Amino acid sequence: MFDNIVILTGAGISAESGIPVFRSETGLWEQERVEDVATYDGFVRDKKKVHDFYNKMRLSLADKQPNAAHLALTRLQKEWPKTHAGKVSIVTQNIDNLHEKALSEQVIHMHGELMSILCEKCHASYAFAGESSVDTVCENCNSRGHMRPDIVWFGEMPYFMDEIEQLLSKCSLFMSIGTSGVVYPAAGFSQYARSQGATCIEFNLEQSAVVSNFDWGLYGKASETVPAFVDHLLKTGEALKEPKS
Ligand code: APR
Ligand code: ZN
């Protein structure tokens, strides 16, 4: 019988909502160079380019809606504690706001958020919905020219690592949804959760790079596999091994 559940999500959960993944033939990293738009050095080289890149992504979220997988996780988060001694925590690598639009609570954005901005001078971060530039003034310290996207770039330390480690060490079920398993530390969460005794299940179109850390996988579209799995989990308290379509 499971108690605490930790769910790690990646770009694949939002793909069916029209947000491109990073690694595929048409993925974001085929269009843009990681070094240019997802490293601090790239930002320093061309701040305008990087602000504009994330402005475009932020604005593109306006008409994006959560899909059945996001909604199923919200349902699990709400329903699970009613019948089980444990809670459901969502840790996402995604910088979109679809878990929030699906009304999930306390989503841990380990790679930052498009709908937030960070001041390099006073280190404040706050909700931000507009377009940022090298001239944006910090709402906290009033200084100009120190704002950056609140995104964790390659080479930077993901947010909330202590909290995530605590959650992983206390979960009995770990679900990984729509992530290729090539970016650490998130790719190592399954191994850690398993070493702490959790049952680990991945949901993906295909086996991820860290498939050997999982007890089993459900392969297919997240909008189909995740709701079917959640239904069964809520009804029986058991994890389903065979995907339903
Ligand atoms: N349903 C389930 N899985 C899917 C779907 C779908 N509809 N569509 C794609 N996937 C899977 C792909 O098979 C792939 O394994 O989602 C995964 C997406 O992988 P990536 O593009 O590598 O995204 P992610 O794992 O979230 O990337 C991790 O890399 O660039 C950084 O910071 C960025 O957070 C990101 C991190
Ligand atoms: Zn500031």
Side-chain angles (χ1 to χ4, degrees), residues 35-36 38-46 50 153-154 156:
E35 311 84 68
D36 289 346
T39 64
Y40 189 73
D41 287 352
F43 180 57
V44 171
R45 267 199 305 279
D46 192 344
V50 176
W153 288 320
F154 286 95
E156 297 183 320

Side-chain angles (χ1 to χ4, degrees), residues 200-221:
C200 297
I201 306 172
E202 75 168 358
F203 300 74
N204 203 312
L205 293 179
E206 57 196 18
Q207 294 192 342
S208 75
V210 287
V211 61
S212 60
N213 296 336
F214 291 91
D215 292 274
W216 70 87
L218 298 190
Y219 299 103
K221 291 180 181 173

Side-chain angles (χ1 to χ4, degrees), residues 109-177:
H109 280 271
M110 63 179 292
H111 289 170
E113 292 177 72
L114 283 167
M115 304 308 294
S116 173
I117 194 163
L118 172 66
C119 176
E120 289 197 90
K121 189 157 189 207
C122 71
H123 305 293
S125 58
Y126 51 87
F128 183 81
E131 292 185 70
S132 61
S133 76
V134 287
D135 290 322
T136 304
V137 173
C138 176
E139 283 181 13
N140 189 53
C141 70
N142 287 321
S143 69
R144 183 184 294 273
H146 297 285
M147 303 313 290
R148 59 166 276 180
D150 192 7
I151 305 295
V152 176
W153 288 320
F154 286 95
E156 297 183 320
M157 177 62 84
Y159 295 152
F160 309 115
M161 286 307 294
D162 290 348
E163 193 179 338
I164 295 168
E165 190 184 329
Q166 281 293 314
L167 290 170
L168 291 171
S169 69
K170 293 193 191 112
C171 76
S172 54
L173 176 62
F174 174 76
M175 298 162 58
S176 175
I177 305 172

